[in-house]
Amino acid sequence: MSRSKNAVELCALLVDEIYGELTSRIFTMLLRRGRLTAINLSRHTRLSPRNIKHGLAVLIQQGLVFHNRDSEGGTFYEANHDAAYGLVRSGKIMEAVEARFGPFARDVMQNLFVMGHTRISELAAVYESGAGAHTNGKVNGHATTNGVNGHDEEHSTIGPLHTALAHLLQAGMVEPVVENMLRSPTDLYNKVEKEVEQAFYQGGTKGLKQKEEMKLKIQARIDSARTEGHNRWQLKGKKRMANGDHNGTNGNHKRRRLSNGGSDIASGDVLYEDDGTRLDSNLVVRINYEKCTVALRNQVLVAFAYDRIGETTSLIYAAGLGLLEDKIPRCRSDSNLEDQPDGPSFTTMQLTAALSKSINAGAGIGKAPGEKAKKGKAPDVHMDDPESDEDTIVNGNGISAVDDDDPFADEPPKPAKRPKVTFQDRPEPDHTDRGENRMQQVKNHLQLLESDDCRFLRKCGNSGQGEWTVDFERIMEHMQQSELDTMLLENFGTFGHRLARMLRKFGKLDEKQLPNLALMKQKDVRTKLAEMQMAGVVDIQEVPRDAGRQNPNRIIFLWFFDNDRVATMILENAYKMMSRCLQRLDFERRTVADVINLTLRTDMLDQDPETYLDASQLNSYQIWQTKEESLLGQILRLDQLIGIFRDF
């Protein structure tokens, strides 16, 4: 995350909003001054060493501060910008977890947000005490009374907890904590570099070849350090096999099978009952923000495909992105620490096997009325619609419908008739090999995704099995251009949008060329360009024809559109607007602090506010709720913009 003034202010406000003033003062000082020791923090913040220790303990527990001990024995602390900004996406992350794994997994994720990195035994103790379950004594809709399925109340909660954590660990949204994760990326790189140099190059590197070898060794060790926690979980995680039928399973399945052959995970409502999974109670886990960002990026891409193509194609695209998600640890890699790996891929066969049976792959494909589906051939378009007005017609394969051998082909073509293309569900042909037919239907949707202007998919590989990959950078660039076009159209109108697109496409253009190219008057062009220049969207460059600059006629004025600068400006404005929303939220909260404190009393939590608030208090409380919802919704919309331009 960038360390601009607006970004620093936003991170400090987020920490202050959630963890209070003490941690906010320490975190803000680390953001502004960089790496500091506890003594320097106490001097700069004017806090006592006792308060510094308490504040740092909370920040380290939540992953908001890195710490590293140097060779002289001093401990340095450094702010974690990405984790601080990840607090904004806590709601989105929990919604994504609930959509995939059910409400109980969402509750586990919420407790991890509150507790920070913690041992599984400590998390289980919270559920044993009843403080961790927010489902009113139920686990995903199932009562936890004594004797359910032959287990007591404690096991009816701990069993689903281990199952949910196992799914979250497998998906990567929760990760085991190891020592290297508590260091900053720079400290980790320096530590690994020193180890490699002492082990292999004690006399120092000599020549370009040894330097390249050293970089490869450092990269390999860094990758090993990042996967250390995952390997530890794979070794220490264990499965307690059940004997006979147990909670609807035979002890060999993690999910209870439904009557139609599917599993609960397909519907996003996993029944987390005790399936025998047991994790190491001493394993320390935390939320993996990088992997959660990958899941959120997939949601944005699926929504974009839904808007451009359709629902069924977007569902198939979501399944394909789900296959790639397991192979993508983070959205954007740090070029200083790791090389850019080749993009992962999946085959059409793998996607067809992983696709939920509830998705009708034959739907969402345009067809003409009365067409007959033919195996291996796209349906022809009939020209019997009297309402059509097209001059030419093409069949499903993109070939002209006019026969080349037609003796009347030289005559002027008559207005052809265009069929009405519908997107109704296409019935499956009466095939004996339905698996092959479904694979062909999935392939048709993949070709739609490939042929779109955004190029959601790209063919790759030479195996002949229909491998597909996703160029995320190119798609995000297309989404950024779409957001830029929307912003330009709303702020500068049609003429400003037209001028900006021309400058973005052709580069630098002379001021005298713009009126003819944009089909605008010269006066209107100059007025609009001056307005956009004041906003920082476009800029001008003066190129003198000779050494003298006194005569304006001897100067060429070139207008240009800097895409990177505009994207940076959008990010800075988004940071500033989010900070203002948080400040307004704090102000509105303080105006009704008495009423809010009354609703937060422990003896009032289970009661409706209408029962103990008078009319004026209830009115103030409802107005506050409306304002809070509006401000938080605006923050989430701005976060979507920041994700497109920075994180995704």
Side-chain angles (χ1 to χ4, degrees):
M1 181 176 177
S2 61
R3 298 189 180 184
S4 63
K5 180 180 178 181
N6 294 322
V8 169
E9 182 183 3
L10 174 60
C11 291
L13 287 172
L14 286 170
V15 175
D16 181 54
E17 175 72 19
I18 299 177
Y19 301 108
E21 182 181 359
L22 175 62
T23 55
S24 175
R25 289 179 62 180
I26 298 174
F27 189 77
T28 304
M29 191 56 61
L30 290 174
L31 285 174
R32 293 176 179 176
R33 295 187 174 269
R35 296 161 56 89
L36 293 174
T37 62
I39 298 176
N40 292 332
L41 272 174
S42 178
R43 182 169 60 252
H44 290 303
T45 59
R46 297 182 181 180
L47 295 173
S48 64
R50 176 185 177 88
N51 290 333
I52 292 292
K53 290 181 180 179
H54 288 317
L56 286 175
V58 174
L59 292 172
I60 294 174
Q61 181 78 17
Q62 300 296 332
L64 299 173
V65 167
F66 296 116
H67 66 281
N68 183 56
R69 184 180 295 272
D70 60 3
S71 58
E72 298 179 358
T75 303
F76 288 85
Y77 302 93
E78 185 177 352
N80 186 355
H81 306 76
D82 296 329
Y85 184 81
L87 298 173
V88 176
R89 296 182 175 144
S90 58
K92 289 184 178 180
I93 292 173
M94 287 189 291
E95 287 181 358
V97 169
E98 183 176 7
R100 295 189 182 192
F101 306 108
F104 183 73
R106 179 189 184 277
D107 179 70
V108 174
M109 208 72 170
Q110 182 177 358
N111 283 289
L112 288 177
F113 271 112
V114 174
M115 301 175 65
H117 69 262
T118 181
R119 289 189 179 90
I120 294 180
S121 59
E122 297 174 353
L123 185 61
V126 174
Y127 279 88
E128 290 177 7
S129 63
H134 302 286
T135 53
N136 298 327
K138 296 183 179 182
V139 178
N140 203 19
H142 299 277
T144 58
T145 56
N146 294 335
V148 176
N149 294 327
H151 293 275
D152 56 14
E153 184 176 1
E154 174 183 342
H155 289 287
S156 63
T157 305
I158 302 305
L161 173 62
H162 283 266
T163 304
L165 282 174
H167 286 148
L168 293 172
L169 284 166
Q170 188 68 33
M173 293 184 172
V174 173
E175 61 180 353
V177 179
V178 294
E179 183 182 359
N180 288 325
M181 294 180 180
L182 304 179
R183 295 188 177 92
S184 65
T186 304
D187 289 332
L188 177 60
Y189 185 87
N190 294 336
K191 175 178 176 293
V192 173
E193 184 181 23
K194 186 179 297 184
E195 292 177 353
V196 171
E197 188 174 0
Q198 291 178 355
F200 300 98
Y201 308 98
Q202 296 181 358
T205 56
K206 298 179 181 179
L208 183 61
K209 184 177 180 180
Q210 285 192 354
K211 291 182 179 179
E212 293 296 330
E213 291 178 354
M214 183 176 178
K215 288 182 180 180
L216 293 177
K217 293 181 184 297
I218 292 174
Q219 179 62 48
R221 292 208 176 190
I222 289 177
D223 293 339
S224 177
R226 283 178 168 172
T227 58
E228 180 183 354
H230 181 74
N231 296 334
R232 179 176 299 183
W233 168 69
Q234 294 290 347
L235 291 174
K236 293 194 174 183
K238 54 187 177 180
K239 179 75 176 280
R240 179 181 59 119
M241 304 301 295
N243 296 325
D245 291 338
H246 183 60
N247 292 338
T249 69
N250 59 0
N252 296 324
H253 300 281
K254 283 191 175 181
R255 307 184 188 102
R256 185 168 61 183
R257 294 290 174 178
L258 302 178
S259 57
N260 58 1
S263 63
D264 300 326
I265 188 67
S267 62
D269 187 17
V270 181
L271 302 180
Y272 283 116
E273 300 179 0
D274 190 358
D275 64 352
T277 301
R278 290 295 180 271
L279 302 173
D280 184 10
S281 60
N282 293 323
L283 183 66
V284 181
V285 295
R286 71 173 185 183
I287 295 174
N288 186 0
Y289 287 103
E290 292 181 338
K291 192 69 173 182
C292 292
T293 305
V294 175
L296 295 179
R297 181 181 66 178
N298 290 347
Q299 289 184 352
V300 172
L301 293 179
V302 170
F304 196 47
Y306 176 83
D307 293 336
R308 292 186 62 90
I309 302 179
E311 180 181 3
T312 305
T313 306
S314 66
L315 293 175
I316 294 176
Y317 189 49
L321 291 175
L323 294 177
L324 298 179
E325 184 178 321
D326 297 335
K327 309 172 186 178
I328 302 176
R330 59 192 62 86
C331 289
R332 297 191 179 185
S333 60
D334 192 346
S335 59
N336 294 328
L337 297 180
E338 60 182 6
D339 299 328
Q340 294 288 346
D342 295 333
S345 62
F346 63 89
T347 63
T348 308
M349 183 179 298
Q350 292 174 347
L351 179 59
T352 306
L355 192 64
S356 173
K357 295 182 180 179
S358 61
I359 298 177
N360 182 12
I365 303 293
K367 66 184 183 68
E371 70 169 307
K372 296 182 180 180
K374 298 180 182 179
K375 182 177 181 181
K377 181 180 179 182
D380 293 336
V381 177
H382 299 281
M383 298 184 295
D384 54 358
D385 190 354
E387 299 180 7
S388 178
D389 57 355
E390 290 291 329
D391 294 338
T392 58
I393 198 72
V394 295
N395 61 15
N397 296 322
I399 305 174
S400 175
V402 180
D403 192 356
D404 294 337
D405 298 332
D406 189 356
F408 302 100
D410 296 332
E411 296 182 2
K414 297 181 180 180
K417 300 179 176 61
R418 183 180 61 187
K420 293 181 179 179
V421 179
T422 61
F423 291 88
Q424 301 173 355
D425 294 350
R426 178 183 299 183
E428 290 189 3
D430 189 10
H431 278 296
T432 56
D433 190 2
R434 292 182 178 272
E436 182 180 355
N437 179 59
R438 183 174 174 82
M439 186 182 299
Q440 181 61 38
Q441 292 172 347
V442 171
K443 186 177 181 180
N444 293 338
H445 287 280
L446 296 179
Q447 291 175 347
L448 279 178
L449 292 167
E450 181 192 20
S451 60
D452 190 84
D453 293 339
C454 291
R455 297 295 299 273
F456 290 101
L457 289 176
R458 176 175 58 86
K459 287 185 178 179
C460 65
N462 299 320
S463 61
Q465 298 180 359
E467 292 188 30
W468 305 85
T469 187
V470 179
D471 296 330
F472 291 101
E473 293 185 3
R474 183 174 59 186
I475 298 176
M476 297 316 301
E477 288 178 0
H478 196 285
M479 293 188 69
Q480 290 177 9
Q481 299 298 337
S482 178
E483 292 291 340
L484 279 176
D485 291 339
T486 303
M487 182 202 71
L488 293 170
L489 193 60
E490 291 178 353
N491 292 289
F492 305 104
T494 306
F495 289 161
H497 180 223
R498 185 189 304 172
L499 290 172
R501 292 190 64 183
M502 288 176 54
L503 294 174
R504 188 172 62 197
K505 180 178 180 180
F506 296 108
K508 296 181 180 179
L509 292 177
D510 188 1
E511 187 179 81
K512 298 178 181 179
Q513 297 176 337
L514 287 173
N516 295 330
L517 293 175
L519 302 178
M520 296 171 57
K521 296 180 180 180
Q522 187 175 8
K523 180 180 179 180
D524 296 337
V525 170
R526 289 181 176 178
T527 303
K528 186 60 68 175
L529 287 175
E531 178 186 354
M532 298 172 68
Q533 185 185 21
M534 293 294 293
V537 177
V538 298
D539 207 345
I540 191 172
Q541 180 182 4
E542 299 180 4
V543 180
R545 297 177 183 270
D546 49 29
R549 292 176 175 267
Q550 289 78 13
N551 189 3
N553 294 328
R554 302 297 299 172
I555 297 177
I556 301 175
F557 296 96
L558 299 177
W559 290 91
F560 63 94
F561 181 90
D562 192 343
N563 198 67
D564 295 335
R565 188 181 68 176
V566 174
T568 303
M569 181 185 66
I570 291 176
L571 283 176
E572 292 299 321
N573 291 337
Y575 292 145
K576 187 182 300 183
M577 287 186 286
M578 292 178 75
S579 300
R580 300 301 176 265
C581 288
L582 290 173
Q583 291 173 353
R584 182 60 183 269
L585 187 66
D586 181 65
F587 171 78
E588 296 293 343
R589 184 188 296 111
R590 283 188 279 109
T591 57
V592 290
D594 297 338
V595 180
I596 295 176
N597 292 334
L598 184 61
T599 58
L600 294 178
R601 284 174 47 177
T602 56
D603 57 340
M604 300 293 186
L605 290 178
D606 297 334
Q607 300 182 26
D608 191 356
E610 296 180 358
T611 59
Y612 56 86
L613 295 179
D614 56 30
S616 61
Q617 290 177 333
L618 183 61
N619 186 38
S620 300
Y621 184 68
Q622 291 175 348
I623 293 175
W624 148 249
Q625 284 185 322
T626 303
K627 291 181 179 179
E628 182 186 32
E629 182 179 355
S630 300
L631 291 171
L632 292 178
Q634 180 68 11
I635 290 175
L636 292 180
R637 285 189 289 270
L638 292 171
D639 171 65
Q640 185 88 350
L641 196 65
I642 292 177
I644 292 175
F645 280 92
R646 192 197 68 183
D647 296 333
F648 297 159

